[in-house]
Amino acid sequence: MTKTDTGGPGNVLPTPSHTVGPFYGYALPFRGGEDIAPLGHPDTVTVHGYVLDGEGRPLPDALVELWGPRPDGTVPQVDGSLRRDPATGGYLGRNGVEFTGWGRVQTDADGHWYARTLRPGARGDSAPYLSVCVFARGLLVHLFTRIYLPGDEAALAADPLLARVGDRRGTLIAGAEGDGTYRFDIRLQGEGETVFLEFR
C-alpha cells in the first residue's frame, strides 16, 4: 500500500469558487443609503430601476452602490454617509447637509432600487455619469458600470466610452421619465445585457 502526500502545495486541489451572496441584508445596507442628495437640494434627481438576471427575472437581494460628482463636476471628499456617534459608537446616519456622492441601496422584494442624488457634472472628456457597482447572487465578483443621464446629447455623442461600446450604448443611458426622474435597469446577462467595465 502506498501513501499519497496530500499535504504538499503541489497536491492540494483548488478550492471551488463561491458566488457573492445572498447575504446583503445583514450589516451592508444602512438607513438612508438611498438619500445621497441633501434634503431639499434643487439639483436632486431620482434614479431607479430593477436588477434583472439573464432571464429577465428581478433579483430581490442585490446591492447597488452609486458614486457621483457634484453638479459642477468636482468629486466630494467629505465624510458623512456612515457617521457614528463618537461616544456610543451608534449609527447616526447622514447629516442631511453635506453631499458625499456615495450611496448603497438594497433591492426590494420586487428587485427594484432607487436613489436620490445630485445630477452629476461632467469631468474631463466624459459626459456626466454616475458610477455603479452591483453585488448580486450568482456573481463571483462585483460588477462595475455607469449611468449616463440624458439631456446633453452633444456630450453623450462625444463620450469616448459610449463611442467604444457602439450599438450597446443604450444599456448605459437612463430613460427620462420627467420631473427629474430616470429609469435604469441593470441586466446581468442575456439579451440587452448592461455593459460592464473592467478596471486593471
Side-chain angles (χ1 to χ4, degrees):
M1 176 181 222
T2 52
K3 289 188 173 181
T4 304
D5 177 18
T6 58
N11 299 319
V12 178
L13 296 174
T15 302
S17 297
H18 294 275
T19 61
V20 177
F23 50 77
Y24 307 117
Y26 176 75
L28 290 177
F30 64 98
R31 189 174 63 253
E34 68 280 356
D35 293 318
I36 305 167
L39 189 63
H41 196 288
D43 294 321
T44 299
V45 296
T46 299
V47 183
H48 76 102
Y50 292 85
V51 177
L52 306 167
D53 68 13
E55 296 180 7
R57 293 180 304 224
L59 297 180
D61 51 14
L63 273 182
V64 177
E65 288 190 354
L66 301 162
W67 299 270
R70 295 182 183 94
D72 65 4
T74 59
V75 176
Q77 297 185 11
V78 295
D79 295 330
S81 293
L82 297 171
R83 294 179 315 127
R84 295 204 175 269
D85 184 329
T88 66
Y91 174 74
L92 291 175
R94 298 184 191 275
N95 64 16
V97 177
E98 293 178 297
F99 176 66
T100 64
W102 178 79
R104 181 185 291 150
V105 186
Q106 184 174 15
T107 57
D108 65 16
D110 296 321
H112 185 256
W113 64 274
Y114 78 94
R116 287 183 292 273
T117 188
L118 298 184
R119 185 175 184 94
R123 300 186 65 231
D125 59 354
S126 294
Y129 65 87
L130 297 168
S131 296
V132 180
C133 184
V134 182
F135 302 81
R137 67 170 84 174
L139 298 179
L140 297 178
V141 294
H142 47 280
L143 300 172
F144 294 100
T145 190
R146 289 181 178 179
I147 301 173
Y148 290 89
L149 301 181
D152 186 345
E153 299 312 310
L156 291 173
D159 185 88
L161 177 66
L162 290 176
R164 187 168 184 181
V165 299
D167 60 355
R168 294 185 61 205
R169 70 193 303 271
T171 69
L172 297 177
I173 302 173
E177 296 185 329
D179 297 327
T181 301
Y182 300 89
R183 179 165 175 176
F184 186 81
D185 292 339
I186 301 167
R187 186 176 289 270
L188 299 180
Q189 63 180 357
E191 186 177 345
E193 176 183 326
T194 301
V195 170
F196 295 106
L197 310 174
E198 182 175 296
F199 296 99
R200 296 178 186 199

